[in-house]
Amino acid sequence: MSGRLQEVTARIGNVRELGGIVDSMRNLATVRVQQARRAAVAVETYAETIEDALLRIAPLLPADRPLPASKQAGSAGAVVFCAEQGFAGLFSEHVLDALRDDEKEHVFLIGTRGNAIARVRGLAPKWTAPAVQNPGAVPELADSITKEIGRQVVLGHLVRVTIIVCQSSEQEKARVIRLPLFPFDPAALGKSEGCAAPPLLNVAPEKLMPELVSDYMFSQLCLAALQSFKAENQARSERMTAAHHEITRQLKSLEQLQRTVRQEEITSEIIELVSGPTLAKLKRFNRHSRA
């Protein structure tokens, strides 16, 4: 086998190996998207239950106790859900672009890959954590964020927190959205309370409300973590699908080149085999002619 044919054959082997890796990554990303969709059903039900409880308790609070605390002293912050791994396009960049200037001093950044990109941009998050790699890890992550936000609020460092997360669906392209997280404002839910009768309580509304707000934050962070998990893997699946198509195209081109090179070698060998006896006959003919 000539050097050129060996080179083309080796390239085909390398491309096929790369194609196997790309297909594995694409399949894994697709599976994770499906996992996120199934898990979101239970989390959305839980979040709706907490929202309903808050809307029913809010009217029972004293009228002189406003819920929003946006005018208190303190800073704004943001919980930013970025990518955990690479090969997700500009996923993290788009999320980080949604940060506002007044939020950059108190950033809770989720995602190892996103954290690296943020630091290249000169952003130093106050708190970081890896993004989840399976839906089962979502509650633990959401609980950690909720506790840290609560600590910062108690210290007086934060009075307003926003979630920045990428959402994706089968019907629409992925988009980055901003969701208010703290303080709780019933009007932000866009729902009317509409309860026929006030709830029966064994705890004073003033004591119950902070616990429900904490549960509300936890539920919203669970939803955001799942949304980001799904969107990141959806983006990775799309990138790997594009890579799969490109690898398929390259393989077809290389295989055609391999056939061409092999045919050229066969032709050369045939010409060499045929030309040997022919040259010998010509030499004998020349000797007889001289004689």
Side-chain angles (χ1 to χ4, degrees):
M1 185 183 292
S2 71
R4 187 183 179 197
L5 184 57
Q6 285 181 334
E7 180 183 352
V8 173
T9 302
R11 286 178 60 190
I12 290 175
N14 292 336
V15 171
R16 283 177 177 164
E17 184 178 355
L18 179 60
I21 296 172
V22 166
D23 287 344
S24 297
M25 293 178 65
R26 180 178 62 165
N27 293 336
L28 178 59
T30 301
V31 168
R32 286 177 170 175
V33 169
Q34 297 301 325
Q35 290 176 338
R37 286 173 179 163
R38 290 193 295 268
V41 176
V43 176
E44 287 170 356
T45 300
Y46 170 70
E48 289 173 359
T49 301
I50 299 298
E51 290 177 7
D52 180 68
L54 279 167
L55 290 171
R56 298 180 68 182
I57 297 298
L60 304 180
L61 293 174
D64 59 348
R65 183 187 176 186
L67 285 172
S70 57
K71 294 184 179 179
Q72 297 179 7
S75 302
V79 183
V80 183
F81 287 88
C82 295
E84 176 62 19
Q85 300 174 345
F87 301 106
L90 297 177
F91 182 90
S92 297
E93 285 83 349
H94 290 322
V95 174
L96 292 171
D97 288 342
L99 268 173
R100 295 175 180 171
D101 290 339
D102 62 338
E103 297 168 339
K104 292 181 178 179
E105 293 298 321
H106 289 85
V107 174
F108 301 81
L109 197 148
I110 315 302
T112 303
R113 177 68 175 173
N115 185 28
I117 295 172
R119 295 189 181 279
V120 169
R121 291 186 170 198
L123 184 66
K126 289 288 185 181
W127 188 89
T128 63
V132 299
Q133 293 299 289
N134 64 82
V138 165
E140 182 179 357
L141 173 62
D143 184 60
S144 298
I145 303 172
T146 302
K147 289 179 178 177
E148 181 60 23
I149 291 176
R151 189 180 73 85
Q152 295 287 337
V153 170
V154 169
L155 292 174
H157 298 164
L158 284 175
V159 297
R160 179 167 54 84
V161 182
T162 302
I163 293 175
I164 302 177
V165 65
C166 183
Q167 284 187 340
S168 65
S169 67
E170 295 179 352
Q171 294 78 20
E172 299 178 355
K173 292 183 178 181
R175 59 192 181 97
V176 177
I177 61 171
R178 295 172 55 88
L179 301 170
L181 179 65
F182 180 84
F184 171 72
D185 184 1
L189 297 179
K191 301 178 181 179
S192 58
E193 184 268 330
C195 294
L200 297 176
L201 301 177
N202 295 322
V203 180
E206 295 87 347
K207 184 177 180 180
L208 180 60
M209 194 66 179
E211 297 180 4
L212 284 176
V213 169
S214 179
D215 288 342
Y216 169 77
M217 291 171 58
F218 173 79
S219 68
Q220 295 305 303
L221 289 167
C222 283
L223 277 176
L226 271 178
Q227 289 167 349
S228 181
F229 175 71
K230 184 180 77 170
E232 177 185 348
N233 282 283
Q234 183 68 44
R236 186 170 295 112
S237 176
E238 292 172 357
R239 297 279 291 186
M240 292 302 102
T241 298
H244 171 81
H245 293 325
E246 176 61 20
I247 287 171
T248 301
R249 186 193 67 78
Q250 287 188 17
L251 271 177
K252 289 181 179 179
S253 177
L254 286 170
E255 287 169 352
Q256 178 60 42
L257 178 60
Q258 184 185 48
R259 289 191 292 269
T260 301
V261 173
R262 183 179 289 117
Q263 185 61 45
E264 290 175 352
E265 289 194 355
I266 292 173
T267 302
S268 298
E269 290 175 0
I270 292 174
I271 292 173
E272 185 178 348
L273 289 172
V274 172
S275 63
T278 302
L279 288 173
K281 289 181 180 179
L282 286 173
K283 289 179 180 179
R284 288 198 299 271
F285 176 76
N286 290 333
R287 285 199 299 269
H288 292 315
S289 298
R290 294 192 189 96

